[in-house]
Amino acid sequence: MQDDAWSPPPVLLTVDLVILTLRESRLHVLVVERGEDPFRGMPALPGGFLNHDREEILDAAHRELNEETALASNWVHLEQLAVYGGSNRDPRGRVISVAHLAIAPGLPDPVAGTDATDASWIPAEAVLSGEVELAFDHRRIATDGIEHARTKLEFSSLATAFCGEEFTIAELQQVYEAVWGTALDTRNFYRKVQAAKGFIIPVGTDRRSTGGRPARLYRAGPKTVLFPPLIQPAPSAPEENSNGEEE
């Protein structure tokens, strides 16, 4: 007796976006309020299914990005983050998500897409802490995206993606502080940035007034890999009181 002919299992494919920007010197992530089941009314990362079986995955990511932010892809840093394919991640069936990380400076207030009733920026820490509960496994995806950005800031020029075309070193420092969630010593940061050759380059003699001494303007340099890298400072150990208890 011959075995029944094998047939491929039904699998659906989506793209999800971890969209990061700085607002008021804080790292924010874009979420939408789902307008459909499952998880109707819950916040989630923007994304969606492929439009058709011939749509390229990267094209789908650009399409979703444009629908959620109304920005052209040439203004945004976009890269594939990871693939998420747990068998129980979506109650509608076996759904594989190809997640992408998108970064741009000063993104505007979002407009909800076709399957969302609202869209908003929320502080990244609210997602990381679980204060804001996301649908599906989107908290894990968002956390992975934020941690990826934090690590990549050490060894690459990714920080300039959070800045405008021209920026000051103080504004670049704000990016590192917002993404890493820690204050940095200004003189030490300036020295490290200048030591990373090709990371940033001055824009002629133009300067931006900051209320005090005019600050020199820079733009992203030709190097995408930083050497030496800017290593994220280790978190401070909690202090102990006289009773040996953490404060």
Side-chain angles (χ1 to χ4, degrees):
M1 180 176 179
Q2 293 183 343
D3 294 334
D4 293 337
W6 178 86
S7 59
V11 176
L12 298 174
L13 187 67
T14 67
V15 293
D16 288 308
L17 297 172
V18 182
I19 306 176
L20 303 178
T21 196
L22 263 59
R23 296 171 68 86
E24 299 179 350
S25 300
R26 296 181 67 189
L27 183 65
H28 283 68
V29 60
L30 182 66
V31 299
V32 298
E33 181 180 325
R34 288 188 55 78
E36 301 176 354
D37 289 326
F39 305 109
R40 182 192 298 268
M42 283 191 65
L45 295 176
F49 291 100
L50 299 186
N51 264 348
H52 49 80
D53 61 1
R54 299 188 65 83
E55 184 179 32
E56 298 293 342
I57 294 174
L58 184 58
D59 291 341
H62 283 300
R63 173 178 54 77
E64 290 290 342
L65 178 65
N66 181 261
E67 290 177 359
E68 299 297 345
T69 66
L71 287 179
S73 59
N74 59 321
W75 286 95
V76 178
H77 171 89
L78 181 67
E79 64 176 271
Q80 185 172 313
L81 175 63
V83 176
Y84 299 84
S87 59
N88 61 349
R89 62 179 303 273
D90 193 316
R92 292 170 294 189
R94 190 66 185 272
V95 180
I96 309 297
S97 173
V98 182
H100 291 71
L101 176 65
I103 295 171
L107 290 177
D109 290 334
V111 177
T114 55
D115 60 349
T117 58
D118 193 16
S120 60
W121 293 104
I122 61 172
E125 187 55 42
V127 173
L128 296 175
S129 66
E131 176 185 343
V132 174
E133 184 179 357
L134 301 184
F136 304 103
D137 55 353
H138 287 187
R139 180 187 175 192
R140 176 191 172 191
I141 297 175
T143 299
D144 289 348
I146 294 168
E147 290 301 327
H148 178 75
R150 286 175 170 173
T151 300
K152 199 166 181 179
L153 252 61
E154 297 182 330
F155 303 99
S156 79
S157 59
L158 181 65
T160 59
F162 286 96
C163 300
E165 185 176 355
E166 298 178 356
F167 50 87
T168 66
I169 290 184
E171 290 168 339
L172 186 65
Q173 180 176 336
Q174 289 178 357
V175 171
Y176 277 88
E177 291 180 333
V179 177
W180 284 349
T182 186
L184 301 174
D185 179 80
T186 299
R187 290 186 178 181
N188 193 35
F189 180 79
Y190 182 90
R191 177 179 58 81
K192 291 182 177 180
V193 167
Q194 295 289 9
K197 301 302 182 183
F199 177 21
I200 60 174
I201 55 178
V203 181
T205 58
D206 293 341
R207 292 177 178 269
R208 178 177 298 165
S209 176
T210 58
R213 182 180 177 182
R216 172 168 287 182
L217 292 175
Y218 294 83
R219 61 180 174 84
K223 298 294 185 181
T224 57
V225 177
L226 300 187
F227 184 81
L230 277 68
I231 302 301
Q232 184 177 176
S236 301
E239 296 182 359
E240 294 186 357
N241 58 28
S242 59
N243 295 323
E245 298 176 345
E246 292 184 356
E247 294 183 339

